[in-house]
Amino acid sequence: MIVKERERALQLESLLALSKRGGLLNPQENYINQLVKGFEGECAFDSLLKELKCECLILNDLLLKLNGQTFQIDTLMISSKGISIYEVKNFEGEFIFREDKLKIVSTNKEITNPVHQLKRTTMLFRQLMEEHRVDFPLKSYIVFVNKQFTLFETPIDQDFILPTMISRHLKRLNNERGAINISHTKFSDTLKALHHNDTTFITLPEYSYTALKKESFCKECSAVLERLNGRMCECIKCGHQELAVDTILRQINEFRLLFPENKLTTNEMYQWSGKLFSKKSIRLVLSKHFTLKGQSIASYYE
């Protein structure tokens, strides 16, 4: 059972918002593509875990702190056999693992070794368990989810789960016997409470309100929305339809993400959304989801 769903990281959400509004250069677009691919790989692994029949608690995308050190866990599973940490990689192509280095075969370019990252995460999480007096067995894995991934000279002493090994690993989990108990549930609740939505690690390029496009965008393909069809927004490019109120709320949340210090007003959202919606429609959405502050011309929402 998934007890903490995965959400797109705030940094990725911010970069995607800047990208479609014209606030990024090409090198930054490449970085976005890497983040998107990583997120897609994590979601693919989530889909596989949802099919598990064994009793377990799954927490996705945990950001934890211990003694001033921050660490992130892609997927954590609690079962009757203990705790498993999964570092998910969506690498594609041919790689070689040699002399504790991971390189792309075609270019011989060295990339960050996920083993080092996982060792640090495992060490800090073990300390966190000790701090909370939890004594479950702990295992950690690096799982490569992309079927187009090949790793040469795979070390047998590393807990790698290659694409051809995933189904066997899941089958082994399903064959495990045993039920989770109150101690498992309590620790799961503790981890959810310890999770941070920390924005201090978000690094974004400089941008300004005046330089960004003022439009409403399709949820599916990010094309500019040009027309309303009754209460629906319809994308001319991909045909996706969405309730207008949901589209308005997405534009509002995007504004709040990029400009958290700016006041949220009806007129500001009218301009930000490309004047696609009436001020009355925008005011109704703001009134439903936010609290009105002040009066008259100086009023705003928060």
Side-chain angles (χ1 to χ4, degrees), residues 222-237:
S222 297
V224 174
L225 294 172
E226 300 178 10
R227 70 184 184 197
L228 293 173
N229 185 7
R231 295 184 178 182
M232 305 294 293
C233 286
E234 183 177 356
C235 179
I236 296 176
K237 183 176 180 180

Side-chain angles (χ1 to χ4, degrees), residues 50-153:
K50 286 179 181 178
E51 302 300 318
L52 286 174
K53 306 300 181 184
C54 60
E55 281 198 39
C56 61
L57 302 170
I58 299 172
L59 296 95
N60 292 317
D61 200 23
L62 284 170
L63 184 64
L64 304 170
K65 286 186 177 181
L66 182 71
N67 299 327
Q69 298 188 75
T70 303
F71 59 105
Q72 187 262 343
I73 297 175
D74 290 339
T75 302
L76 183 140
M77 177 188 297
I78 303 175
S79 71
S80 61
K81 302 299 181 182
I83 295 176
S84 297
I85 292 174
Y86 295 93
E87 177 72 23
V88 182
K89 296 300 179 186
N90 194 17
F91 296 159
E92 183 175 348
E94 297 182 338
F95 293 74
I96 186 168
F97 194 99
R98 183 181 289 168
E99 297 177 352
D100 202 32
K101 296 179 180 178
L102 187 61
K103 295 183 177 181
I104 302 172
V105 172
S106 60
T107 62
N108 201 39
K109 178 183 178 181
E110 183 180 349
I111 64 172
T112 303
N113 188 343
V115 173
H116 300 157
Q117 178 183 351
L118 186 61
K119 284 182 177 178
R120 175 182 180 273
T121 296
T122 304
M123 176 194 69
L124 290 172
F125 188 78
R126 197 181 300 278
Q127 292 176 12
L128 185 145
M129 291 174 62
E130 293 172 355
E131 187 174 279
H132 290 270
R133 299 180 180 179
V134 173
D135 190 26
F136 300 136
L138 177 62
K139 291 277 291 180
S140 55
Y141 305 91
I142 299 171
V143 54
F144 299 94
V145 296
N146 197 310
K147 293 181 180 179
Q148 304 302 317
F149 172 81
T150 301
L151 182 62
F152 296 105
E153 300 188 22

Side-chain angles (χ1 to χ4, degrees), residues 265 295-300:
T265 67
Q295 296 182 5
S296 179
I297 195 171
S299 64
Y300 62 97

Side-chain angles (χ1 to χ4, degrees), residues 263-291:
K263 288 186 176 180
L264 197 59
T265 67
T266 300
N267 188 60
E268 190 79 83
M269 291 305 96
Y270 177 68
Q271 300 293 333
W272 178 254
S273 301
K275 303 179 182 179
L276 181 63
F277 310 98
S278 68
K279 291 185 179 181
K280 179 181 178 182
S281 297
I282 292 172
R283 189 178 298 111
L284 287 172
V285 175
L286 286 170
S287 300
K288 181 177 180 181
H289 295 275
F290 302 92
T291 303

Side-chain angles (χ1 to χ4, degrees), residues 197-208:
N197 286 314
D198 199 336
T199 60
T200 59
F201 295 91
I202 296 178
T203 55
L204 298 174
E206 290 187 9
Y207 59 91
S208 67

